[in-house]
Amino acid sequence: MAAAIMVQGTGSGAGKSLIVAALCRLFKNAGYSVAPFKSQNMALNSYVTIESGEIGRAQALQAEAAGIPPSIYHNPILLKSEGSSGSQVVVMGKPFKTMTASDYYKNKELFWPYVVSAWEELNNRYEIIVIEGAGSPAEINLTEQEIVNMAVARLTSAPVLLVGDIDKGGVFASLYGTAALLKEDVKLIKGFVINKFRGDVNILIPGNVMITDLTGIPVIGVIPYVSGIGLEEEDSLALGSHFESGDRTGTGVKITVLRLNYISNFTDFHALSCEPGVELVYSLRDNDILNSDLVIIPGTKNTVKDLLFLKETGVSGVLQRAVTQGIPLMGMCGGYQMLGKVISDPDMIESRHREVRGLGFLDAETVFESSKVTLRVTAKKTGGIPFIDGEFDNLDCYEIHMGQTKGGSIFKVRVGDETYMDGESKGGVWGTYLHGIFDNDTFRAALLDGLRAKRGLKQTSTGINYIKLRNDAIECWSATVAKSLDMDLIYSLLIS
């Protein structure tokens, strides 16, 4: 039987996910077998597990921090917003159906058993489980329907740490208000954590004493604001309005990722943003697109809506100008589908359009199907890709998509003993379904060297070791959290 501790927040974006990742690494380093658990996540950044199931990307990062393979048991229910139509509900890694929020909350009895069974599976495997809540536990209109905050704390008998984001302002009011609204469940909260603090921590001491006097709950730590942690964010709101990371001088490389309305899996490009001399921009501005060394159309949870948006706003015309000027254009997953001639949706699975003309840069034709592809794969580059020289085998990737695209000529993909072709290239344009391809160091280095060579810049023989960089970032962040929290108290909560 596992010991458990739960991290909840006063609201979305308080920093729960990264704090859970830090605790997973700290417990792992202390010699415990540890796993993350988030019963229900709502995110468009997802990951394919060892069971070929889909979970939130944050839980994959937390599993990485714990030193274990990501599993569907770490996130049994994933909600992927599709806009006004509701959200696709993914249960134990596989799509269940698209539901409105009202329908979803009315059907708690359908999903709660999956939460219980996933918890029991982890409970029997590990010594410590670090649980993450979602949003705020004080949404009083959802108290009876929620299956991710206090309902899980009660199920698992986990002591709760409540995190407040001081960077947003009003942290003491958020902590006090949350505690007040929880009524009987407030007894489950064993400590407050103040996150993202800038300045002299001594300034907070009077407030910490007062909030403890008012609620009976101690402040067990103040975590400083850390810029450039080096670990990807889960929410697209974290991208800001324009730019994520950059170090582009006159000799650097600029990559623009289109900031689609339904952008998903933007973590595909995190490794690029970590490279020295690379500026990664999320933008739809003409100036960014036309002054890039590479433009990427990313994945999307609503390919048709985002495609029509690009046409209606004139961005498609700007892309045409960019390609005419010789700027390489790449499409990932839904972006790959957009690059083709046509997207067919005969059963209107994604939209009310049975057929939509694509951007026409590639000859690809896509047909949406009701079944969803979620696979972990390895791939070999067999065809030409603009500005990427060399042969690459054993590329570690994964696929998440609803449609099937005819043809395929640039990657030979392996799943067990089966193989098939993926991707298409034409002129300076190429597309693929292979998520995570830029996480492969040699492939990413070849891409960047090709872009540098195109501009007559000096090439680099080696780039970063992305796995090592991530591990170092997890270690550094975990050390910060350990210094900031009363870890003795946390360990005492685990054994109480």
Side-chain angles (χ1 to χ4, degrees):
M1 298 292 289
I5 192 163
M6 187 169 193
V7 179
Q8 297 184 15
T10 57
S12 297
K16 301 182 297 294
S17 295
L18 289 180
I19 292 173
V20 167
L23 291 175
C24 284
R25 176 54 60 94
L26 292 171
F27 294 143
K28 171 186 178 293
N29 288 347
Y32 295 97
S33 64
V34 57
F37 180 65
K38 185 166 185 173
S39 59
Q40 170 201 294
N41 195 356
M42 188 169 193
L44 290 180
N45 277 335
S46 58
Y47 185 86
V48 175
T49 70
I50 54 174
E51 305 97 346
S52 292
E54 192 177 5
I55 64 171
R57 182 78 187 195
Q59 280 62 67
L61 170 63
Q62 293 161 359
E64 181 182 351
I68 58 176
S71 168
I72 55 174
Y73 298 108
H74 299 148
N75 176 207
I77 299 172
L78 174 64
L79 307 178
K80 306 189 74 174
S81 175
E82 295 181 346
S84 58
S85 61
S87 296
Q88 182 186 64
V89 182
V90 179
V91 179
M92 298 305 288
K94 299 300 179 184
F96 174 69
K97 64 186 300 186
T98 295
M99 305 178 76
T100 64
S102 177
D103 287 340
Y104 176 76
Y105 286 115
K106 287 177 182 176
N107 287 279
K108 170 185 175 179
E109 69 280 358
L110 291 177
F111 305 112
W112 182 247
Y114 294 103
V115 173
V116 174
S117 62
W119 162 256
E120 291 176 345
E121 181 71 23
L122 297 178
N123 193 29
N124 290 326
R125 288 189 193 180
Y126 297 95
E127 295 175 286
I128 297 176
I129 301 173
V130 187
I131 308 168
E132 181 184 348
S136 164
E139 302 292 351
I140 56 178
N141 56 314
L142 300 176
T143 301
E144 299 302 319
Q145 292 81 30
E146 65 94 1
I147 57 173
V148 65
N149 286 311
M150 286 305 176
V152 174
R154 293 191 295 270
L155 168 71
T156 61
S157 300
V160 174
L161 306 181
L162 182 65
V163 180
D165 177 4
I166 196 170
D167 198 46
K168 293 178 180 176
V171 70
F172 291 118
S174 298
L175 294 171
Y176 181 82
T178 300
L181 289 171
L182 286 173
K183 298 182 179 179
E184 286 298 312
D185 282 333
V186 71
K187 65 180 181 295
L188 301 176
I189 300 177
K190 303 303 180 182
F192 291 140
V193 176
I194 295 176
N195 194 23
K196 305 180 187 178
F197 179 71
R198 306 171 191 250
D200 181 0
V201 70
N202 291 316
I203 295 174
L204 279 183
I205 291 176
N208 294 348
V209 172
M210 292 173 68
I211 194 72
T212 299
D213 289 343
L214 287 167
T215 65
I217 300 169
V219 176
I220 68 165
V222 178
I223 303 174
Y225 182 93
V226 180
S227 177
I229 291 175
L231 300 171
E232 66 267 20
E233 297 280 1
E234 181 178 57
D235 196 324
S236 62
L237 292 175
L239 296 179
S241 61
H242 180 61
F243 122 125
E244 173 176 287
S245 173
D247 182 25
R248 192 194 190 219
T249 61
T251 59
V253 171
K254 178 176 180 177
I255 299 173
T256 296
V257 180
L258 299 191
R259 202 182 192 291
L260 303 176
N261 291 327
Y262 296 93
I263 187 172
S264 65
N265 285 78
F266 59 82
T267 50
D268 281 323
F269 316 113
H270 184 254
L272 294 169
S273 75
C274 294
E275 287 280 359
V278 173
E279 179 185 4
L280 186 72
V281 173
Y282 290 86
S283 175
L284 293 169
R285 300 195 312 179
D286 296 10
N287 187 56
D288 285 320
I289 294 171
L290 296 173
N291 289 280
S292 295
D293 296 295
L294 172 67
V295 178
I296 299 175
I297 307 179
T300 166
K301 193 62 188 74
N302 200 312
T303 304
V304 171
K305 281 188 177 180
D306 274 333
L307 171 59
L308 294 176
F309 172 78
L310 294 182
K311 292 180 178 181
E312 291 164 359
T313 56
V315 176
S316 59
V318 180
L319 294 175
Q320 183 64 62
R321 288 169 57 193
V323 171
T324 300
Q325 293 175 17
I327 299 172
L329 175 63
M330 182 262 181
M332 172 71 75
C333 197
Y336 170 35
Q337 295 171 342
M338 291 185 205
L339 289 174
K341 288 183 176 180
V342 65
I343 297 174
S344 300
D345 191 0
D347 298 322
M348 293 190 289
I349 294 167
E350 185 181 274
S351 74
R352 296 181 180 181
H353 301 271
R354 294 187 185 274
E355 184 173 291
V356 178
R357 302 300 299 177
L359 297 174
F361 292 107
L362 299 176
D363 295 327
E365 297 182 3
T366 298
V367 179
F368 284 138
E369 299 175 348
S370 58
S371 59
K372 189 174 190 178
V373 175
T374 55
L375 293 171
R376 291 215 62 84
V377 303
T378 56
K380 178 180 181 180
K381 175 179 173 285
T382 57
I385 302 177
F387 309 105
I388 300 180
D389 294 328
E391 297 181 359
F392 304 92
D393 201 356
N394 295 316
L395 296 169
D396 184 24
C397 305
Y398 55 98
E399 295 187 33
I400 309 171
H401 54 94
M402 295 294 289
Q404 293 288 349
T405 301
K406 296 178 183 178
S409 60
I410 58 177
F411 293 105
K412 185 176 183 179
V413 181
R414 296 186 295 275
V415 182
D417 296 328
E418 298 183 8
T419 63
Y420 55 91
M421 299 302 296
D422 168 80
E424 184 180 330
S425 175
K426 186 177 181 181
V429 182
W430 65 286
T432 180
Y433 277 123
L434 299 178
H435 292 284
I437 194 166
F438 297 126
D439 293 357
N440 294 269
D441 292 340
T442 56
F443 186 86
R444 185 181 63 256
L447 167 68
L448 296 176
D449 273 349
L451 297 178
R452 293 185 183 105
K454 178 177 179 290
R455 289 182 53 205
L457 301 175
K458 182 180 178 180
Q459 300 180 45
T460 58
S461 58
T462 58
I464 62 170
N465 180 327
Y466 186 53
I467 292 177
K468 182 179 184 303
L469 182 145
R470 288 174 62 84
N471 187 67
D472 290 348
I474 292 170
E475 287 288 341
C476 183
W477 167 241
S478 300
T480 297
V481 171
K483 291 177 183 177
S484 305
L485 300 185
D486 185 342
M487 292 302 298
D488 289 338
L489 185 147
I490 288 175
Y491 275 108
S492 71
L493 292 174
L494 286 169
I495 62 176
S496 62

